[in-house]
Amino acid sequence: MEKIFEKLNDEQSNAVRQTEGPVLILAGAGSGKTTTIISRLAYLIQEVGIPASNTLTLTFTNKAAKEMRERALDMMPEISYPPLLCTFHKFGLLFLKFNIHLLGRKNNFVVIDTDDKKRIIKKINNELPTPLIASEISRYKNSLLTPNDAYKQSELFNYQQIAKVYEEYETYLNENNLVDFDDLIALTYKLLDENPELAKTTSQKYQYIMIDEYQDTNELQLKLLQKLCATHTNLCVVGDDDQSIYGWRGAHIRNIMEFDQDFAGTSVFKLQNNYRSREPILKVANALIEHNRSRLGKTLLPTRGGGEAVVTLNSQDENEEARKIATKINKLMDSGVGAQDIAILYRVNVLSRSIEDGLNRAGIGYKLVGGQRFYDRAEIKDLISYIRVITNYHDDFSFKRIINKPKRGLGKASVDKIELAAHAAQKSIFEFIKSSTIASLEALVRKKNTKTIRQFIKDIEEVSKIAKESTYEFIDALEDTFHLKDIYKGQVDEQDRVLNMDEFYALFRDFIKNSPESGLDEFLNELTLQSEQDQVEGESIYMMSIHASKGLEFKHLFIIGLEEGFLPLVGDGSDLEEERRLGYVAFTRAKDTLTLSHVGSRFYKGRRSDLEKSRFFNEAGLCQGSLKVEKNTAFKKGDLVRHKIFGTGRIIGVSKSSKDFKLKINFAGTKKDILASFIEKL
DNA sequence: ATGATAACAGTTTTT
DNA sequence: CTGTTATCAT
């Protein structure tokens, strides 16, 4: 049974063996964090003998949860009852399913996503910017402020308005039995806070708690953890203060910095052996992050010595940058490197554009990771809304989304009228239409539309009947009856959307096959919490934002846009230390080679602007020698230059020699090849 | 009700 | 430059 420790180093083993009391595991990038957390779980269950049902392991993303679950089950193949290992939000969902009745609500609530949230807000108030209101409401909920609290503490009129919208929003959610993402945690906390007995039994159930990526937790999540630890202090958190890059989203870096103050008697373990990156890469990453003042202090120690020096790439503009990177990638692939081992990272998504062009021209396949998520796509949300209405006729929220999709001649005005009338009759919209006479409907919408709308109701009932008999036939019936693929007919992106819909139908069939006993409504709430599962396509390199790259690793890594203004990105609310952590996260994704690229100017927001090389080069100790390169690449075709012997001439070509640039220069009719270091620009 | 055009803004993103 | 939203004709 010493098997668990076979693959662990001393510090990791010590962290695994410390099962009692608060534990803080500071896990540097590439230090075997997941291995440690999973080993600790296996140790608790198999060695210490804690029942799996008495443990709780929380992550932030479904992806992390899935990976951990798979690895945990690999480690404990004979386990009969798997431990609860899920995201914070999934935990909240499960908890609310069992306990939300204590708040006087029914447990058949629907989880809405950010898009739905904004639609609701927009309807309540369209004067103030919706995203602002949405983020403020989120902030209030995460600070446990009621609409009333929020109103009282706002001084500006606009913020008083926002507090009022918050109040109406809450009423709307309650009336329609909806729950937003923040509620999944906030209501869970509220229940535990208001019901000490429930807090006690819950805490007793989860005797051993582990949290992944602790540096990403916010104030409310900490409070929730404190409730879960009401009867014990067996809380083990794993994280890295140097990789805290979600401060702008409310993550509280203080949670990890001051964990030992929140939980007395904490044992601290530092995992500093890095098993991922070659020595020169770690040196650069360590040097950079050392410039941060607010950090606990760790240094990554290389276990993979040797390796190539970190390369600085300087280009005139983004097009040259793209060309150079494409050339380098082609060389790598020619030498036998697989495309999936190469990635390009950037701080802002727009920077992918020029690189995409360059890769396309060079015939290099790429895969953009991130961007719009599958389940957030309008066409997918349409399908989900259809399924929601078919499972629950009274889901007005979803019904309104689909009532005019495909077009049934009902615009905003008509829908508003119907909704108002239904409200007055104390009926759901579906019920109202069904029970209304043709005459009373004609008073609300155009005559010719009364027929289509009544048919729509009948169709829903018909498909719903089929759904009850066979979920399989239901999928075909859905498309055959409503012709959902026609919604986007004639639009430029019709093909993409139809493809996505087919993908969804396939996923749906798959779900039914895998869990035939679970109901459609279960499927629906799960879906809202699910993010896109990136499917790896064969021969393509990866491109993504630095944020999206966290937790991943690539043999050959290019980071573009290392310029002042892009990395570090400056603007209101920007935090240089967090920018530096972003640089650190980015650098430490590289296993074998790292290339850092910066340009002299970029076309951005409709105009070209000159850019300074990022200060991070200096801070990472990457400046010696780079000065020469920088000066020399300033040469371009057509420039007027001078040579000590040959005199004045014009550049007719620029190429790269081993250490310098080779310029082809026309000196009054005589063409010569000369190294750039002997040339002076005029 | 719907499609066309003007005005505008413009990190990072999971659940 | 791009994508989104507000407003205006039809």
Side-chain angles (χ1 to χ4, degrees):
Chain A
M1 275 299 158
E2 279 298 299
K3 218 178 153 187
I4 289 176
F5 296 98
E6 264 171 26
K7 287 179 185 160
L8 301 182
N9 64 34
D10 288 352
E11 192 71 356
Q12 291 171 332
S13 300
N14 291 339
V16 167
R17 285 205 174 87
Q18 181 68 49
T19 58
E20 305 305 301
V23 176
L24 169 61
I25 303 175
L26 288 170
S31 65
K33 176 195 72 168
T34 308
T35 307
T36 308
I37 202 167
I38 290 309
S39 301
R40 197 171 180 279
L41 185 61
Y43 180 73
L44 273 168
I45 294 168
Q46 298 196 324
E47 300 287 312
V48 185
I50 308 297
S53 59
N54 288 353
T55 71
L56 174 65
T57 308
L58 297 180
T59 65
F60 277 88
T61 64
N62 289 303
K63 200 177 156 211
K66 188 174 170 233
E67 189 198 337
M68 283 196 185
R69 200 175 302 122
E70 279 165 8
R71 288 179 62 176
L73 292 180
D74 259 7
M75 243 179 154
M76 310 178 264
E78 62 280 358
I79 200 164
S80 54
Y81 182 89
L84 183 50
L85 201 170
C86 63
T87 64
F88 267 95
H89 295 264
K90 178 73 189 293
F91 175 74
L93 175 66
L94 290 171
F95 188 83
L96 292 182
K97 277 279 166 195
F98 282 102
N99 299 297
I100 203 168
H101 65 273
L102 294 171
L103 293 171
R105 292 183 62 165
K106 285 188 283 181
N107 77 347
N108 61 351
F109 57 81
V110 165
V111 181
I112 58 165
D113 67 17
T114 323
D115 233 57
D116 301 329
K117 177 180 175 182
K118 287 184 178 158
R119 275 169 60 211
I120 296 167
I121 291 170
K122 199 168 190 136
K123 209 167 167 223
I124 298 171
N125 180 308
N126 200 11
E127 277 169 44
L128 295 163
T130 308
L132 173 75
I133 304 177
S135 72
E136 284 301 301
I137 290 179
S138 192
R139 225 191 65 216
Y140 294 144
K141 287 195 179 187
N142 279 291
S143 313
L144 297 166
L145 294 175
T146 62
N148 204 4
D149 298 334
Y151 187 87
K152 273 189 279 184
Q153 68 164 233
S154 5
E155 283 165 20
L156 293 168
F157 175 74
N158 279 353
Y159 280 82
Q160 293 178 350
Q161 288 297 106
I162 292 174
K164 280 188 198 158
V165 178
Y166 177 25
E167 184 167 26
E168 275 189 65
Y169 172 76
E170 287 294 273
T171 310
Y172 185 92
L173 295 195
N174 265 295
E175 281 175 356
N176 292 279
N177 206 13
L178 304 173
V179 157
D180 68 17
F181 285 137
D182 297 319
D183 287 335
L184 289 173
I185 316 243
L187 294 181
T188 298
Y189 173 80
K190 195 176 174 206
L191 280 163
L192 293 173
D193 188 47
E194 289 175 357
N195 303 281
E197 200 47 44
L198 178 63
K200 197 176 151 196
T201 52
T202 308
S203 171
Q204 277 166 344
K205 173 162 171 60
Y206 300 113
Q207 285 288 325
Y208 290 87
I209 299 174
M210 287 201 273
I211 312 296
D212 185 32
E213 305 279 15
Y214 191 67
Q215 76 282 350
D216 290 340
T217 52
N218 66 22
E219 200 183 338
L220 177 60
Q221 283 154 342
L222 168 61
K223 286 187 148 178
L224 174 62
L225 291 178
Q226 284 169 328
K227 287 287 168 201
L228 292 176
C229 289
T231 64
H232 61 80
T233 57
N234 300 326
L235 173 66
C236 170
V237 304
V238 186
D240 181 0
D241 50 314
D242 292 332
Q243 292 187 70
S244 164
I245 56 173
Y246 286 105
W248 53 275
R249 202 168 75 184
H252 247 49
I253 193 172
R254 77 148 292 284
N255 284 3
I256 192 162
M257 305 281 289
E258 295 172 19
F259 181 77
D260 56 342
Q261 287 162 51
D262 293 333
F263 297 90
T266 295
S267 315
V268 181
F269 300 91
K270 283 189 187 181
L271 310 184
Q272 303 188 84
N273 282 349
N274 176 287
Y275 299 99
R276 179 185 295 153
S277 313
R278 293 283 180 192
E279 199 169 349
I281 297 168
L282 287 188
K283 207 175 139 204
V284 165
N286 279 329
L288 175 68
I289 200 66
E290 251 173 50
H291 286 81
N292 269 6
R293 300 197 60 201
S294 126
R295 65 188 289 253
L296 292 164
K298 275 186 285 70
T299 305
L300 294 179
L301 306 168
T303 63
R304 300 180 72 219
E308 293 168 37
V310 173
V311 176
T312 299
L313 197 66
N314 177 20
S315 318
Q316 187 126 338
D317 58 32
E318 69 277 11
N319 300 315
E320 189 183 321
E321 175 183 57
R323 276 199 301 277
K324 284 183 180 172
I325 288 179
T327 308
K328 278 175 171 277
I329 288 174
N330 265 333
K331 268 191 194 140
L332 278 171
M333 306 222 307
D334 285 347
S335 73
V337 173
Q340 69 285 350
D341 290 325
I342 304 171
I344 303 173
L345 306 184
Y346 31 79
R347 173 67 228 271
V348 278
N349 284 310
V350 280
L351 296 194
S352 72
R353 267 256 139 95
S354 53
I355 302 290
E356 286 184 67
D357 288 346
L359 295 179
N360 283 333
R361 256 193 281 271
I364 299 168
Y366 60 87
K367 176 165 173 52
L368 277 181
V369 179
Q372 227 212 347
R373 279 152 65 240
F374 186 69
Y375 293 108
D376 282 349
R377 295 193 163 121
E379 63 274 23
I380 301 303
K381 296 194 72 175
D382 294 338
L383 295 191
I384 293 174
S385 295
Y386 261 94
I387 303 172
R388 282 201 196 284
V389 169
I390 285 158
T391 12
N392 173 15
Y393 297 157
H394 310 303
D395 185 345
D396 281 0
F397 187 76
S398 303
F399 191 83
K400 275 194 292 180
R401 187 185 173 100
I402 60 170
I403 192 168
N404 201 31
K405 281 179 189 174
K407 295 216 156 64
R408 296 187 182 89
L410 300 186
K412 195 177 166 303
S414 302
V415 176
D416 281 353
K417 269 193 244 168
I418 297 174
E419 190 186 14
L420 213 69
H423 213 78
Q426 299 219 325
K427 282 176 176 161
S428 63
I429 302 176
F430 182 96
E431 220 175 356
F432 174 77
I433 297 171
K434 188 173 154 67
S435 62
S436 295
T437 58
I438 296 175
S440 57
L441 271 179
E442 277 175 356
L444 297 166
V445 300
R446 287 183 202 177
K447 222 172 182 175
K448 64 170 185 177
N449 292 332
T450 55
K451 222 172 139 188
T452 45
I453 194 174
R454 294 183 118 230
Q455 185 58 43
F456 181 48
I457 296 283
K458 275 188 198 138
D459 286 345
I460 288 171
E461 286 179 317
E462 183 59 32
V463 176
S464 179
K465 214 170 98 193
I466 297 171
K468 286 196 184 89
E469 285 156 15
S470 155
T471 340
Y472 239 88
E473 279 175 39
F474 157 68
I475 299 171
D476 291 326
L478 188 65
E479 186 56 48
D480 294 346
T481 312
F482 299 107
H483 308 287
L484 303 180
K485 289 181 185 169
D486 288 354
I487 297 175
Y488 296 92
K489 203 159 196 119
Q491 296 191 13
V492 276
D493 50 5
E494 182 187 349
Q495 257 201 328
D496 282 340
R497 295 198 191 259
V498 168
L499 236 53
N500 287 332
M501 288 166 133
D502 281 331
E503 171 82 10
F504 179 84
Y505 287 138
L507 281 168
F508 193 18
R509 285 199 176 89
D510 200 52
F511 172 84
I512 294 161
K513 205 155 56 183
N514 289 332
S515 41
E517 71 285 350
S518 55
L520 281 183
D521 49 340
E522 254 171 89
F523 169 68
L524 291 168
N525 270 346
E526 291 281 315
L527 220 56
T528 312
L529 294 182
Q530 213 86 58
S531 67
E532 178 173 11
Q533 219 78 75
D534 286 315
Q535 43 204 5
V536 182
E537 285 158 26
E539 280 297 289
S540 47
I541 69 160
Y542 288 97
M543 294 190 15
M544 69 193 85
S545 70
I546 296 172
H547 282 90
S549 77
K550 200 172 83 162
L552 305 176
E553 58 178 32
F554 302 94
K555 281 188 182 151
H556 304 281
L557 188 71
F558 296 83
I559 306 171
I560 62 166
L562 273 115
E563 298 110 24
E564 289 293 308
F566 281 102
L567 185 63
L569 187 70
V570 284
D572 50 296
S574 63
D575 170 358
L576 183 62
E577 297 220 339
E578 185 150 316
E579 295 300 311
R580 207 174 269 117
R581 291 192 290 269
L582 271 160
Y584 176 77
V585 166
F587 291 2
T588 53
R589 298 309 99 197
K591 290 169 84 169
D592 293 337
T593 72
L594 175 60
T595 304
L596 306 177
S597 163
H598 67 102
V599 300
S601 84
R602 273 185 202 285
F603 197 77
Y604 180 63
K605 286 191 187 173
R607 59 169 198 202
R608 181 159 294 284
S609 23
D610 291 333
L611 295 165
E612 294 279 323
K613 185 177 179 181
S614 169
R615 73 190 76 183
F616 291 169
F617 281 104
N618 257 315
E619 296 181 357
L622 284 168
C623 263
Q624 56 281 50
S626 56
L627 227 110
K628 197 176 112 193
V629 174
E630 192 179 8
K631 197 175 131 202
N632 291 344
T633 43
F635 292 112
K636 61 174 192 291
K637 215 166 149 180
D639 281 352
L640 217 55
V641 295
R642 177 163 45 217
H643 184 269
K644 275 186 180 167
I645 298 160
F646 300 109
T648 310
R650 197 174 287 279
I651 297 176
I652 51 176
V654 182
S655 60
K656 184 92 179 76
S657 79
S658 57
K659 275 182 186 159
D660 204 336
F661 285 86
K662 200 166 67 187
L663 307 177
K664 203 174 199 53
I665 302 169
N666 183 355
F667 294 102
T670 327
K671 288 164 192 160
K672 289 200 180 301
D673 282 330
I674 294 169
L675 285 178
S677 34
F678 298 104
I679 297 294
E680 193 190 335
K681 204 169 169 179
L682 284 177

